[in-house]
Amino acid sequence: MIANEPLNRFAFLLVEAEVGCDFSSELSAQNRTESTYSPEALREQAETDRLIDYVNQQIELLAFEDPNPELLQQMVRRLRDPRRRARIRLVEAFVEIGEVATPVLLNGLKTEADPTVRVACCNALTNIGDATAVPGLVEALTGDRDISVKGAAAGALAKIGKPAFESLKAILADETASEICKGHVAWAIALMSREVEAQLYSSLNDSSATVRTAIVGAIAQLAQAQTTEAQRMELQAIPEPASNPL
C-alpha cells in the first residue's frame, strides 16, 4: 500500500472527481431537478436511500464480517443512481465494508454496462486498496473501451502500489497495448514512484524502450519530490529569529 500522504489523498480525489466535490451545490441542483424525474425514478431513488441507510446501520453494528453477497450486488446495481451524492455514499459504504467487497466490485467492473457504475467500482477499489484486485483492474485498464474507466482503473492500481508494479510494467512492454493505455500506466507508475524506488532503478535496463522511457520519467518525478521534501525539512530546521526586546 502507498504510505505517503499525497497518494492517500489522491485516492479520495478520484472519488471527489466522480461526485463533483461540491456536495452542497449538488444538493441544491438535485432539489431544482427533482421534479424532472418520473414517479418510477423517484421510487428507485427512495429504494437506494433506504438501502444505503440499512447498510450504514449494519456497518455500525459490525455486521459485515461475512456480508450477504446479494446485498453487495444490490449496492453495485444501485451505483446506477443518477444522483452523484448517492453514488458517493455507496462508495463510502463499500470502503467501510473493506476487502470482502472486492470480488463483487470486480464483477461489477467487468459486467456492468454503465461506465458510471464501472468508474464507481474502481473508486471503491481505489480506497479499499486490496492487492487481489490487481488482475481485474489490469483487465479494465487494457480492455475497457471507456477512457474514464481506464483512468479510474489506473488510479486504483497506483494506490495499490508495489503489488501492481510488475503488471503495469508488462503493459508498457506489450506491443498490442494502446498508447492511451500506456499513458495511463506511465502516470500510475509515476504516482507510486516513492514506494517502488528500488524496482524503478532495477528496470532502467529493461529491453523495452517504452518501459525505460516511463521509468526515467517516474525517477525524475521521484527526484523532484525528494528535493522538494529536503528543502522543506531544511526550512523547518532553521530556528525562528529571536525577538528584539523593547
Side-chain angles (χ1 to χ4, degrees):
M1 294 287 293
I2 294 175
N4 52 308
E5 183 181 353
L7 286 186
N8 286 335
R9 288 203 302 269
F10 165 75
F12 291 94
L13 287 174
L14 281 175
V15 175
E16 288 172 357
E18 155 69 9
V19 300
C21 300
D22 188 348
F23 292 153
S24 60
S25 297
E26 183 194 336
L27 289 173
S28 298
Q30 178 182 323
N31 290 334
R32 290 195 302 271
T33 60
E34 196 171 60
S35 60
T36 65
Y37 291 119
S38 68
E40 181 180 356
L42 291 174
R43 284 194 295 271
E44 287 292 319
Q45 291 173 17
E47 286 293 328
T48 299
D49 292 338
R50 282 193 287 271
L51 176 65
I52 293 170
D53 290 340
Y54 173 77
V55 168
N56 286 334
Q57 290 172 3
Q58 295 301 301
I59 290 171
E60 290 179 3
L61 294 171
L62 305 177
F64 271 102
E65 291 185 5
D66 186 20
N68 182 344
E70 176 56 31
L71 178 61
L72 297 180
Q73 290 165 9
Q74 286 183 42
M75 292 173 64
V76 169
R77 289 193 293 269
R78 291 294 171 178
L79 288 168
R80 304 169 190 168
D81 195 293
R83 299 166 300 163
R84 291 176 174 177
R85 180 53 180 159
R87 295 198 298 275
I88 191 62
R89 291 180 67 199
L90 285 164
V91 168
E92 289 170 343
F94 274 122
V95 175
E96 288 293 326
I97 293 167
E99 293 184 358
V100 293
T102 296
V104 172
L105 288 166
L106 287 173
N107 185 63
L109 175 59
K110 185 175 183 177
T111 62
E112 285 291 330
D114 188 341
T116 300
V117 175
R118 302 200 301 277
V119 168
C121 288
C122 285
N123 287 341
L125 290 166
T126 298
N127 289 287
I128 292 171
D130 185 356
T132 65
V134 168
L137 289 166
V138 166
E139 183 179 349
L141 173 56
T142 57
D144 201 291
R145 292 187 174 186
D146 191 281
I147 192 167
S148 62
V149 178
K150 289 180 179 292
L157 290 163
K159 177 65 176 359
I160 290 170
K162 187 182 294 186
F165 178 78
E166 292 299 329
S167 295
L168 289 171
K169 198 170 78 167
I171 296 172
L172 290 173
D174 184 355
E175 295 182 357
T176 65
S178 70
E179 292 303 313
I180 290 176
C181 181
K182 290 181 179 181
H184 284 305
V185 170
W187 170 68
I189 289 176
L191 283 172
M192 66 169 71
S193 58
R194 183 172 297 184
E195 184 182 358
V196 297
E197 182 175 359
Q199 287 92 328
L200 292 177
Y201 284 103
S202 66
S203 300
L204 279 172
N205 294 322
D206 194 276
S207 60
S208 167
T210 305
V211 171
R212 296 196 301 272
T213 299
I215 294 300
V216 169
I219 290 174
Q221 181 162 318
L222 174 62
Q224 182 179 8
Q226 290 172 336
T227 300
T228 302
E229 179 68 14
Q231 291 171 341
R232 184 183 67 81
M233 293 180 67
E234 288 176 3
L235 289 173
Q236 289 180 341
I238 298 174
E240 293 287 336
S243 57
N244 295 324
L246 297 177

